[in-house]
């Protein structure tokens, strides 16, 4: 059975085709997760959702059309309490997101789909979606659940952006601004903030990060954006440009083409 690009959207299927899709060996649904949250004065609230959805569309346009894999409608509002001091941010509670994903996931498993990939582009809900995936797997042992983060594991990122931005550019900084400048420059504002408040705090001995600790990493802290930035940017967006955005897009798309191709050629992960 061959599917056109449009029919790779789950919501474009008719019910008989959806039933046939679910019955195929290795049938997989990918659910893009983003957020509706502040991304500085220059990027739109939809930034994370936009990236999850559009990188995934680019990946789907390149992978084997015969693979039994489809994209669910994006989840536009996520878990964003760290940004709630900035107007425009909408956030679900952890429990609400747990209930939402569990209810939808159980319906997907009941249809007969073998895998559900949670394709997330919002860093603030990585851990929560991992916990939700485990809960869903317990309720639906016949379906594999794979919680993924758009930017994780892309080794070539360190060759494209500076080491400082890899470590400190956590939000609306050089990488995200450049990627949006490539994809949709019309909605990128003219301001290019740097988190001067955070930098000033680092120069104050009271705020020097102790050895081995970091905002994110092996020993992180539960930071709030207002602790670090007046603009909402965590990092430095001043060197952002569309050429860099193109390089980032290619790196992300190539990475996920490789991962989805290897996944769809396998029977992994095991279920009972």
């Amino acid at each position: 059975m061959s599917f056109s690009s449009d029919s790779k959207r789950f919501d474009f299927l008719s019910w008989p085709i959806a039933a046939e899709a679910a019955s195929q060996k290795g049938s997989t649904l990918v659910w893009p997760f983003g957020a509706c949250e502040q991304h500085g004065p220059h990027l739109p609230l939809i930034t994370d959702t936009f990236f999850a959805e559009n990188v995934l569309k680019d990946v789907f346009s390149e992978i084997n059309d015969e693979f039994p894999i489809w994209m669910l409608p994006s989840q536009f509002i996520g878990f964003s309490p760290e940004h709630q001091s900035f107007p425009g941010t909408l956030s679900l509670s952890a429990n609400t997101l747990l209930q939402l994903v569990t209810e939808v996931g159980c319906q997907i498993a009941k249809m007969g789909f073998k895998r559900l990939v949670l394709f997330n582009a919002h860093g603030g809900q990585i851990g929560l979606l991992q916990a939700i995936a485990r809960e869903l797997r317990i309720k639906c042992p016949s379906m594999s659940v794979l919680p993924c983060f758009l930017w994780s594991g892309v080794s070539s990122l360190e060759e494209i952006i500076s080491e400082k931005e890899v470590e400190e550019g956590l939000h609306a900084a050089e990488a995200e601004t450049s990627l949006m400048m490539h994809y949709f420059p019309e909605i990128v504002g003219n301001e290019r903030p740097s988190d001067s408040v955070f930098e000033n705090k680092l120069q104050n001995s009271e705020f020097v990060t102790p050895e081995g600790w970091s905002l994110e990493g092996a020993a992180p802290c539960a930071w709030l954006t207002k602790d670090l930035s007046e603009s909402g940017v965590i990092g430095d967006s001043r060197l952002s440009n569309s050429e860099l955005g193109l390089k980032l897009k290619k790196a992300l798309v190539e990475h996920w083409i490789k991962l989805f191709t290897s996944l769809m050629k396998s029977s992994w992960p095991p279920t009972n």
Side-chain angles (χ1 to χ4, degrees):
M1 184 175 183
S2 179
F3 296 89
S4 68
S5 296
D6 281 347
S7 70
K8 285 300 181 181
R9 283 186 52 171
F10 179 79
D11 53 342
F12 276 25
L13 305 181
S14 65
W15 76 259
I17 295 179
E20 184 177 350
S23 69
Q24 294 189 67
K25 181 180 179 180
S27 58
T28 302
L29 290 182
V30 185
W31 192 352
F33 278 79
C36 181
E37 63 182 29
Q38 73 83 21
H39 271 76
H42 61 303
L43 292 179
L45 303 172
I46 200 176
T47 292
D48 290 339
T49 310
F50 182 93
F51 290 157
E53 193 171 275
N54 283 277
V55 169
L56 195 56
K57 286 179 180 177
D58 287 339
V59 170
F60 271 44
S61 70
E62 296 294 330
I63 61 175
N64 190 331
D65 197 46
E66 297 295 323
F67 288 154
I69 184 171
W70 296 266
M71 184 172 75
L72 285 166
S74 297
Q75 178 58 35
F76 283 83
I77 301 177
F79 179 70
S80 306
E82 70 273 28
H83 298 295
Q84 282 190 302
S85 59
F86 291 82
T89 299
L90 299 175
S91 181
L92 301 177
S93 69
N95 188 56
T96 298
L97 194 59
L98 168 63
Q99 289 182 308
L100 186 154
V101 176
T102 301
E103 288 188 18
V104 174
C106 286
Q107 294 174 46
I108 289 168
K110 187 176 180 181
M111 290 180 201
F113 282 95
K114 313 307 185 296
R115 300 187 189 103
L116 174 62
V117 179
L118 309 180
F119 192 72
N120 171 43
H122 169 39
Q125 59 195 15
I126 295 173
L128 178 57
L129 286 175
Q130 289 173 338
I132 290 172
R134 191 80 66 184
E135 290 279 354
L136 178 57
R137 182 70 212 292
I138 291 171
K139 291 181 180 294
C140 305
S142 65
M143 182 178 71
S144 302
V145 188
L146 298 88
C148 302
F149 181 50
L150 172 66
W151 299 90
S152 288
V154 188
S155 58
S156 58
L157 289 182
E158 295 183 1
E159 302 169 6
I160 300 172
I161 55 179
S162 68
E163 181 179 353
K164 182 180 180 183
E165 275 298 289
V166 170
E167 295 177 356
E168 300 178 8
L170 303 182
H171 193 72
E174 184 176 284
E176 288 191 316
T177 303
S178 295
L179 188 58
M180 189 64 82
M181 289 174 73
H182 167 70
Y183 267 121
F184 204 171
E186 298 90 337
I187 62 174
V188 179
N190 293 325
E191 296 181 68
R192 295 291 177 269
S194 176
D195 52 280
S196 56
V197 172
F198 181 39
E199 291 173 354
N200 290 338
K201 284 185 175 181
L202 287 180
Q203 294 171 10
N204 184 331
S205 60
E206 182 183 352
F207 294 100
V208 171
T209 306
E211 183 178 355
W213 295 83
S214 61
L215 292 179
E216 298 195 357
C221 69
W223 52 266
L224 300 177
T225 310
K226 67 179 181 180
D227 298 335
L228 309 173
S229 174
E230 290 180 342
S231 68
V233 172
I234 304 175
D236 189 346
S237 66
R238 290 175 292 184
L239 297 179
S240 305
N241 60 84
S242 59
E243 291 78 12
L244 175 59
L246 175 59
K247 292 179 182 179
L248 289 169
K249 185 192 83 167
K250 287 181 177 179
L252 290 166
V253 171
E254 289 174 3
H255 173 79
W256 288 105
I257 287 173
K258 180 178 179 181
L259 263 64
F260 277 115
T261 297
S262 64
L263 179 66
M264 297 308 297
K265 288 182 175 180
S266 76
S267 298
W268 188 88
T271 57
N272 57 21

